[in-house]
Amino acid sequence: MTEQLYHHIQNLVPNFRIQQQDIAPFFQTKSVKKEELLLTENEICDTIYFVNKGCLYLFYENNNEKQVIHFALENWWITDYKTFSDTKPAVYAIAAMEDSEITCISRQNYEALLLQYPLLALYFNKIHERAYGAALYKQKTFATVSKEEFYRYFRITYPELIRRIPDAIFASYMGVSSITLKTYQELYVS
């Protein structure tokens, strides 16, 4: 477990008083290389990933093309939440978009951690609320604005992220071709 994750917990749950060394054994920190797969479709999803450094993305394959659903930057969590909760084969895959350092917790350790330290359920609930809210907001935005307007919104709201995402991956996330994305980029050159 990293200091970064420990401080992230403290920021979201100010009354958190458990010592870092007490909860550290539940977590594992490791480095992953760009494009390394952390989860593949149809594999049992039994891990949640916290990004200390780098960026991960969640996607599925459709006609041999990646359809990107979600990104996770520093201090964000990512997993296939549906299959993590019911221990069924994953419907998504997770890969590193760039060389990254992540902290992981397995399903078994997650459940043991929450049983031993119930206050951490509040932390993870806040994480899940944020993720669910972001997913709903993306869905609404996709349904109510044009792809160009979505690009403009994303560029203004997440300028650091848009600089880090390769064009092919961002085009997949938006559901447009690389050529269409290039057109939007040319319209909004800084």
Side-chain angles (χ1 to χ4, degrees):
M1 170 181 227
T2 61
E3 287 283 326
Q4 183 176 342
L5 174 54
Y6 186 71
H7 290 302
H8 192 259
I9 295 169
Q10 290 178 316
N11 285 339
L12 288 181
V13 184
N15 294 332
F16 186 75
R17 301 285 182 256
I18 301 161
Q19 295 299 309
Q20 182 176 349
Q21 67 267 16
D22 294 336
I23 60 173
F26 294 93
F27 299 91
Q28 175 191 10
T29 298
K30 64 181 183 176
S31 296
V32 293
K33 295 290 184 192
K34 180 179 180 176
E35 291 305 319
E36 184 175 332
L37 286 171
L38 302 170
L39 177 67
T40 59
E41 290 179 68
N42 297 315
E43 174 185 355
I44 299 298
C45 178
D46 67 350
T47 306
I48 304 176
Y49 306 95
F50 177 82
V51 181
N52 297 301
K53 180 179 179 230
C55 184
L56 306 180
Y57 64 102
L58 182 82
F59 66 96
Y60 64 93
E61 293 281 340
N62 185 20
N63 297 323
N64 293 324
E65 290 188 23
K66 288 181 181 177
Q67 302 296 308
V68 178
I69 302 296
H70 181 66
F71 300 102
L73 290 171
E74 289 83 3
N75 296 318
W76 292 11
W77 287 91
I78 192 169
T79 196
D80 180 340
Y81 282 104
K82 169 71 174 115
T83 60
F84 179 78
S85 67
D86 64 17
T87 64
K88 296 215 163 109
V91 294
Y92 300 109
I94 298 173
M97 193 171 68
E98 55 194 38
D99 291 348
S100 302
E101 179 191 84
I102 59 173
T103 298
C104 319
I105 186 166
S106 69
R107 178 73 185 175
Q108 181 179 359
N109 281 352
Y110 175 78
E111 290 174 354
L113 177 71
L114 296 183
L115 285 172
Q116 190 166 347
Y117 302 103
L119 184 59
L120 281 169
L122 178 60
Y123 169 74
F124 282 104
N125 188 59
K126 287 184 178 199
I127 296 302
H128 299 142
E129 286 173 347
R130 287 177 167 189
Y132 185 64
L136 290 177
Y137 190 75
K138 178 189 173 194
Q139 186 175 3
K140 178 185 177 195
T141 304
F142 261 39
T144 59
V145 303
S146 69
K147 299 290 185 176
E148 181 182 336
E149 289 172 300
F150 180 78
Y151 174 78
R152 185 176 166 277
Y153 160 79
F154 203 93
R155 183 180 173 92
I156 291 167
T157 308
Y158 304 105
E160 178 195 341
L161 180 57
I162 208 159
R163 283 190 292 274
R164 292 170 68 179
I165 301 172
D167 287 351
I169 291 175
F170 193 68
S172 171
Y173 177 72
M174 286 187 58
V176 300
S177 69
S178 293
I179 294 167
T180 300
L181 177 63
K182 190 68 155 170
T183 302
Y184 297 158
Q185 290 169 331
E186 290 169 359
L187 289 172
Y188 299 101
V189 174
S190 300

